[in-house]
């Protein structure tokens, strides 16, 4: 799935030249840390190295937009990480920051679970409750959409840049990987 994850990361600058990309500890971002070539300085921020912090990407993306209002800002974050800082959607709404949130939803801490299973460690603490992000995002006044087809992602991101608030594009990992052609 690293190839698929990397393609997700590459879709951002391909669609939104000059975009700032902010990554959390999530599967696509791990691929990005190894293989993603940032297009320019101050265009790729990531906390998924060493002891990366879960939840970093959303508040960092809001700050990046406030610092570079003329550039689109895209946050790549997992469902587990978003639950650490989901309240910052209120900040995005208040500050009218049109941050694009690519929510990689694998219903828990999928990368950690895969690691545990591969090493024959009984998975514990990785199958977390996953809330209805569609409802929560709407409650914070954000635009929210579930990605049905990977080919729709560029259009959805371009539409999001025209808004005055955050847009959450929820990506179901298993559906994305199953429908990915590339």
């Amino acid at each position: 799935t690293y190839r698929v994850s990397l393609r997700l990361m590459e879709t951002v600058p391909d669609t939104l030249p000059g975009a700032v990309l902010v990554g959390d500890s999530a599967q696509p971002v791990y691929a990005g840390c190894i293989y993603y070539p940032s297009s320019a300085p101050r265009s790729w921020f990531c906390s998924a190295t060493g002891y990366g912090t879960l939840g970093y990407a959303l508040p960092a993306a809001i700050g990046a937009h406030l610092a570079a209002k003329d550039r689109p800002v895209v946050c790549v974050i997992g469902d587990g990480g978003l639950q650490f800082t989901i309240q910052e959607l209120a900040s995005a709404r208040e500050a009218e920051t049109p941050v694009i949130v690519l929510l990689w939803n694998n219903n828990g801490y999928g990368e950690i679970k895969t690691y545990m299973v591969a090493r024959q460690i009984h998975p514990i603490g990785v199958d977390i409750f996953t809330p209805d992000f569609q409802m929560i995002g709407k409650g914070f006044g954000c635009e929210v959409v579930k990605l049905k087809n990977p080919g729709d992602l560029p259009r959805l991101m371009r539409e999001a840049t025209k808004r005055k608030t955050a847009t959450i594009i929820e990506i179901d990992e298993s559906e994305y990987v199953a429908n990915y052609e590339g």
Side-chain angles (χ1 to χ4, degrees):
T1 60
Y2 271 100
R3 191 182 75 163
V4 175
S5 295
L6 183 58
R7 184 62 201 133
L8 174 75
M9 301 291 286
E10 292 169 341
T11 299
V12 175
D14 289 352
T15 304
L16 306 172
V20 175
L21 187 56
V22 182
D24 207 88
S25 293
Q27 190 173 23
V29 179
Y30 299 144
C33 286
I34 298 169
Y35 302 109
Y36 176 73
S38 178
S39 59
R42 297 187 178 122
S43 294
W44 169 228
F45 298 91
C46 174
S47 72
T49 59
Y51 295 101
T53 55
L54 282 166
Y56 158 86
L58 179 58
I62 293 166
H65 173 75
L66 294 173
K69 291 185 183 237
D70 59 329
R71 298 174 68 187
V73 178
V74 179
C75 160
V76 181
I77 192 166
D79 55 295
L82 183 58
Q83 290 187 62
F84 278 77
T85 55
I86 198 164
Q87 71 280 3
E88 294 303 328
L89 290 172
S91 299
R93 180 74 173 124
E94 285 287 322
E96 294 184 342
T97 56
V99 172
I100 301 166
V101 179
L102 300 182
L103 173 57
W104 187 258
N105 191 341
N106 58 17
N107 295 303
Y109 299 121
E111 190 76 10
I112 299 169
K113 184 175 183 175
T114 299
Y115 177 89
M116 293 172 85
V117 169
R119 284 152 186 80
Q120 300 178 352
I121 300 168
H122 175 71
I124 187 165
V126 292
D127 294 317
I128 61 173
F129 174 77
T130 303
D132 183 338
F133 291 109
Q134 300 289 302
M135 184 179 293
I136 292 171
K138 288 176 186 171
F140 278 111
C142 300
E143 292 292 326
V144 187
V145 63
K146 281 191 178 186
L147 182 68
K148 300 291 183 196
N149 179 341
D152 293 337
L153 185 56
R155 174 184 56 81
L156 294 172
M157 287 194 300
R158 282 190 296 272
E159 290 172 358
T161 63
K162 297 174 182 148
R163 299 188 178 109
K164 288 187 175 187
T165 190
T167 298
I168 299 170
I169 301 172
E170 186 173 357
I171 303 166
D172 180 290
E173 177 202 22
S174 58
E175 287 181 23
Y176 187 83
V177 171
N179 293 315
Y180 175 78
E181 295 176 21

